[in-house]
């Protein structure tokens, strides 16, 4: 009488079949072997760390010491792209990644993004596994690697990974390179070539935590540079003076959380200024030798000395330098009109400065009678409120 041994699926093997027991044992061993090499990525977890960094850990099982691991991300076309250690261009922006490759180990490490930002939000990533020395899972055809059934989606929103991002530009000014007085820049302000010369560069004042500041200057002399440490200058620190051609300029400054203009943009601000010589060619100008190009010709003075030179040029090539001799009234003047009719309007445009605010220095127009008695004065303005050096 023959007996049958039941197997899964309803098949049976006769007990009297020669070698039947051996065949059954072999099949069971083969099934166990297949399960033991079915590598798996069971889950993912992510944390934020100082830097800032976004770190992803994969929990794997059924791997062995011949297993190789690669991290991948899914692009907008739905294709999986393998990360490389270093710069990876994702959605048009470069992100620095480490831990993209692990070979011949049972314990793969973390995938780490440095300076992550909102451009990574929602990015789908995964780990893939293959076996064998020199085998790269990224080079194998579909179906020849193991991976996870549920992948990881990056979440940097509302976490420390999006910052710190407290850096702000609080001021922009022309920095005196010899350590003298700086020139603040207000929006729309005009500066003269003579005023700046080769004495100043641009500098940004900041608050908060700043990774880097990127300068982008548009205008007749455009430029761009990035500064990682204070002072945040343009040209770059040690690059000398800013020497632009005459015209209008737009200065854009971006503060980044990371160095070399990477990470999150913490602050984005723009300021405009012009670089033009003053309008010295006033229509109908009745002042003779106004820029002192002809020395002190046509000018009269009392007390002190008057000389012409290039020390404080505003118009033309020269300027007048009046050195007072005492504390009594000292004047430099020129008669600009005689026999004026009542109601005559006189406009004045003056570029002046003082090196000593101890005394009351001013410019103005005096109206005199035929006997040189003062009838009135107008446009009397303190010189140190026009330009103080």
């Amino acid at each position: 009488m023959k007996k049958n041994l039941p197997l899964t699926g309803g098949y049976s093997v006769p007990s009297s079949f020669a070698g039947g027991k051996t065949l059954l044992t072999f099949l069971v061993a083969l099934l166990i072997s297949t399960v033991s090499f079915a590598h798996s990525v069971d889950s993912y977890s992510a944390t934020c760390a100082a830097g800032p960094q976004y770190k992803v850990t994969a929990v794997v099982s059924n791997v062995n010491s011949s297993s190789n691991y690669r991290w991948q991300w899914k692009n907008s076309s739905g294709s999986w792209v393998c990360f490389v250690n270093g710069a990876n261009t994702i959605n048009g922006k470069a992100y620095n990644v480490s831990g993209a490759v692990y070979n011949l180990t049972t314990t793969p490490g973390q995938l780490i993004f440095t300076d992550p930002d909102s451009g990574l939000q929602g990015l789908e990533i995964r780990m893939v596994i293959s076996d064998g020395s020199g085998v790269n899972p990224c080079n194998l055809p579909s179906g020849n690697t193991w991976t996870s059934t549920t992948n990881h989606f990056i979440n940097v929103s509302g976490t420390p990974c999006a910052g710190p991002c407290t850096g702000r530009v609080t001021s922009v000014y022309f920095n005196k390179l010899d350590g003298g007085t700086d020139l603040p820049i207000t929006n729309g302000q005009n500066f003269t070539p003579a005023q700046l010369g080769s004495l100043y560069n641009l500098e940004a004042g900041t608050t908060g935590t700043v990774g880097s500041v990127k300068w982008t200057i548009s205008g007749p002399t455009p430029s761009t540079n990035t500064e990682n440490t204070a002072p945040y200058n343009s040209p770059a620190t040690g690059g000398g003076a800013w020497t632009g051609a005459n015209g209008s300029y737009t200065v854009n400054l971006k503060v980044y959380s990371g160095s070399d203009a990477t990470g999150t943009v913490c602050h984005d601000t723009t300021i405009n200024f012009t670089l033009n010589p003053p309008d010295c060619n006033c229509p109908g100008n009745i002042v003779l030798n106004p820029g002192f190009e002809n020395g002190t010709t046509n000018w009269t003075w009392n007390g002190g000395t008057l000389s012409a030179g290039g020390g404080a040029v505003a118009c033309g090539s020269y300027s007048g330098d009046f050195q007072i001799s005492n504390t009594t009234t000292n004047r430099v003047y020129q008669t600009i009109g005689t026999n004026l009719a009542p109601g005559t309007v006189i406009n004045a445009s003056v570029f002046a400065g003082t090196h000593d605010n101890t005394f009351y220095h001013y410019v103005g127009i005096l109206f005199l009678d035929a006997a040189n008695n003062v009838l009135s004065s107008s446009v009397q303005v303190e010189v140190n409120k026009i330009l103080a050096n």
Side-chain angles (χ1 to χ4, degrees), residues 347-371:
N347 296 311
S349 179
V350 180
F351 299 90
T354 180
H355 294 274
D356 187 349
N357 292 329
T358 304
F359 306 107
Y360 178 58
H361 301 157
Y362 68 92
V363 295
I365 299 173
L366 298 179
F367 294 89
L368 310 175
D369 62 15

Side-chain angles (χ1 to χ4, degrees), residues 251-268:
V251 180
N252 176 258
L253 296 104
K254 288 184 173 67
V255 179
Y256 288 83
S257 61
S259 61
D260 299 318
T262 61
T264 303
V265 176
C266 307
H267 191 206
D268 186 338

Side-chain angles (χ1 to χ4, degrees), residues 72-84:
Q72 298 178 320
W73 62 281
K74 183 181 285 188
N75 64 19
S76 58
S77 300
S79 300
W80 287 100
V81 180
C82 281
F83 285 102
V84 296

Side-chain angles (χ1 to χ4, degrees), residues 54-136:
Y54 186 81
K55 299 181 177 182
V56 187
T57 302
V59 177
V60 299
S61 60
N62 299 316
V63 294
N64 55 48
S65 59
S66 67
S67 297
N68 308 299
Y69 312 84
R70 297 293 184 275
W71 288 91
Q72 298 178 320
W73 62 281
K74 183 181 285 188
N75 64 19
S76 58
S77 300
S79 300
W80 287 100
V81 180
C82 281
F83 285 102
V84 296
N85 288 322
N88 294 258
T89 301
I90 300 171
N91 298 328
K93 183 175 180 178
Y95 294 93
N96 191 61
V97 168
S98 60
V101 176
Y102 293 92
N103 291 318
L104 304 179
T105 180
T106 58
T107 55
Q110 295 174 314
L111 179 71
I112 301 174
F113 295 85
T114 301
D115 293 323
D117 60 17
S118 58
L120 293 175
Q121 180 68 19
L123 185 72
E124 186 176 4
I125 65 174
R126 70 180 185 182
M127 174 181 279
V128 289
I129 310 172
S130 65
D131 278 344
S133 178
V135 175
N136 181 352

